[in-house]
Amino acid sequence: MPKTKQSTKNHLNSFVLEYGTDIFKTDGSILFCKLCEVKVNSDRKFVVTQHVNTEKHKRAIIRKNVKNTNSEIQQLVTNTPKKCLFSHDLCKALLSANIPLYKISNPQLKSFLEKYTSREIPSDSTLRKTYVDDIYEETIKNIREQIKGNKIWVSIDETTDSEGRYVANVIIGTLNTDAPGKTYLLTTEVLEKANNSTIVKLFDHSMFVLWPNGIRHDNVLLFVTDATPYMVKAGRILQSLYSKMIHLTCLAHGIHRVAESIREKFKKVDKLISRVKQVFLKAPSRVLVFKSEAPAIPLPPEPILTRWGTWIMAASYYCKYYKDIRRVLLSINSEDAISVKEAQQLVQDPNMEANLVYIHSNFGFIPEYITKLETQYISLSEALSAVKYVQNKLNDCEGEIGDVVFQKFNNVLEKNCGFKTILNISKILSGQESSMEGLPDDLTGDDITYFKYAPITSTDVERSFSRYKTLLVDNRRSFNFENIKKSLVVQCNTLEGI
């Protein structure tokens, strides 16, 4: 006897019964997935099975389970009625993504979140007063847990923000024997003055934040800063308290100082780069002329002197496209601006192109190696190999200027008191050196093994300053500094890291 064909309604209801009413529903004509909010083809069972096994559907199930768990937790928490897990997580997400808390009061955004989360969205004032402190404390607690029992390195630098404050950031990182460690922004503070005493106080305060039950002096093995005199002096003072600590000044910054000495030797080239930058800065009509006259080349770079190596990169650009730049500049009316007139005079200097060729051929490699040193999580031997390569290349430079630049680089290394120590440690780790002479007396053989991935630059602090500047934009100048600090610490210590 032939099989009786099942009706469409019964066929669809069979899937609802099999997977549950919380997964599928049907009106008798279509099968609808409640979790994914999509219609599912139900002609064949394997198609429904395929949908259930998709990543999208699995993620929807996880979200549903998490939501149910959170609901159960919130029902159990009866002794803290003012604290809501949803509001806590919402505040943490906003801080981590650098979204101002007041954005949550936007009517359209608020109604959207209420519609799709079925939650009452708190005001920004509630988030700020009730949850920011808790999230900050959780972040600091997590840092302490991660650092617990580990050897660490510390890096401090200061900058002047848009409000004229001296702001110093403290970066710490773990030192491991077999892999790169993790990096954290521990704190950011306003300094009354930028001098050695304020840096020493900040360092000691930061270590107390990390170890509130007692500072572990022997766990601090490396201190990385720039080469300003007050930082060097602060490093010497701190070494008397942290006897195992080596103070190293940033080698990427040191190479940038060499690049600055090159800029000083070529004043006309420097003036050309500056004037051409002015010619095309905020001048759409001249940019249009440039694009029509030289469509195949990029616009002239706008080097920023405080950004390491950008001036050398600009000089290399002018060397490569000199004839095109010259043609474009001479096609612009000299009466347009003083910068145009001066740029035209400079570009017609008979020695200009030759100077650019010399800079590019002898020093054009510098930005690449500064970038290499800025790379996070490279080994100590790899970083020192980059420094050695720069030294050898500068030694090969010919001419009087080449000799002066090479001497400048050697002076930078000579003044870096921690460089020789770090170099000896690297040689011991690689088997090139068997003597422990020249190392701090309290530094043991076991301590040396933790330097395999030690940093030799302070670029992590510079990255944290970039985050700080995006946090303190023009429309957030009334931001209380204590809240800036908490927001920045939370933001920099998310999964993404510094």
Side-chain angles (χ1 to χ4, degrees), residues 181-198:
K182 293 183 178 180
T183 306
Y184 308 92
L185 172 66
L186 184 59
T187 189
T188 180
E189 302 289 347
V190 175
L191 305 178
E192 293 178 8
K193 297 178 182 178
N195 57 33
N196 62 287
S197 62
T198 56

Side-chain angles (χ1 to χ4, degrees), residues 223-241:
F223 182 36
V224 185
T225 67
D226 59 25
T228 52
Y230 68 85
M231 283 290 188
V232 174
K233 189 173 181 180
R236 284 201 299 268
I237 295 169
L238 287 166
Q239 282 177 312
S240 62
L241 300 172

Side-chain angles (χ1 to χ4, degrees), residues 128-233:
R128 189 173 294 108
K129 292 176 182 177
T130 311
Y131 298 99
V132 170
D133 286 347
D134 289 349
I135 294 166
Y136 170 74
E137 290 299 332
E138 283 176 16
T139 304
I140 295 297
K141 185 179 178 181
N142 179 59
I143 293 172
R144 289 171 182 159
E145 286 295 321
Q146 296 294 327
I147 295 296
K148 192 175 181 180
N150 283 309
K151 307 291 185 181
I152 68 165
W153 59 270
V154 182
S155 185
I156 297 179
D157 200 1
E158 61 85 22
T159 188
T160 306
D161 70 6
S162 52
E163 293 293 301
R165 295 174 293 213
Y166 294 111
V167 177
N169 284 2
V170 181
I171 301 290
I172 61 171
T174 55
L175 293 169
N176 300 327
T177 58
D178 55 351
K182 293 183 178 180
T183 306
Y184 308 92
L185 172 66
L186 184 59
T187 189
T188 180
E189 302 289 347
V190 175
L191 305 178
E192 293 178 8
K193 297 178 182 178
N195 57 33
N196 62 287
S197 62
T198 56
I199 296 299
V200 171
K201 288 177 183 177
L202 175 61
F203 188 102
D204 213 40
H205 168 72
S206 302
M207 295 303 100
F208 184 74
V209 169
L210 183 61
W211 293 303
N213 297 324
I215 297 174
R216 300 177 182 178
H217 295 81
D218 287 349
N219 284 9
V220 184
L221 298 184
L222 181 64
F223 182 36
V224 185
T225 67
D226 59 25
T228 52
Y230 68 85
M231 283 290 188
V232 174
K233 189 173 181 180

Side-chain angles (χ1 to χ4, degrees), residues 255-274 303-307 309-315 359 363 366 401 404-405 408:
I255 296 174
H256 172 68
R257 287 166 59 201
V258 173
E260 284 292 282
S261 71
I262 297 168
R263 183 172 70 89
E264 290 172 4
K265 295 295 178 183
F266 295 92
K267 294 189 182 297
K268 285 189 176 181
V269 172
D270 183 36
K271 193 173 181 180
L272 173 68
I273 293 171
S274 174
I304 300 172
L305 298 182
T306 54
R307 290 188 180 174
T310 53
W311 188 89
I312 298 287
M313 291 172 68
I359 295 169
F363 311 116
I366 288 178
I401 292 176
V404 171
V405 171
K408 171 69 176 179

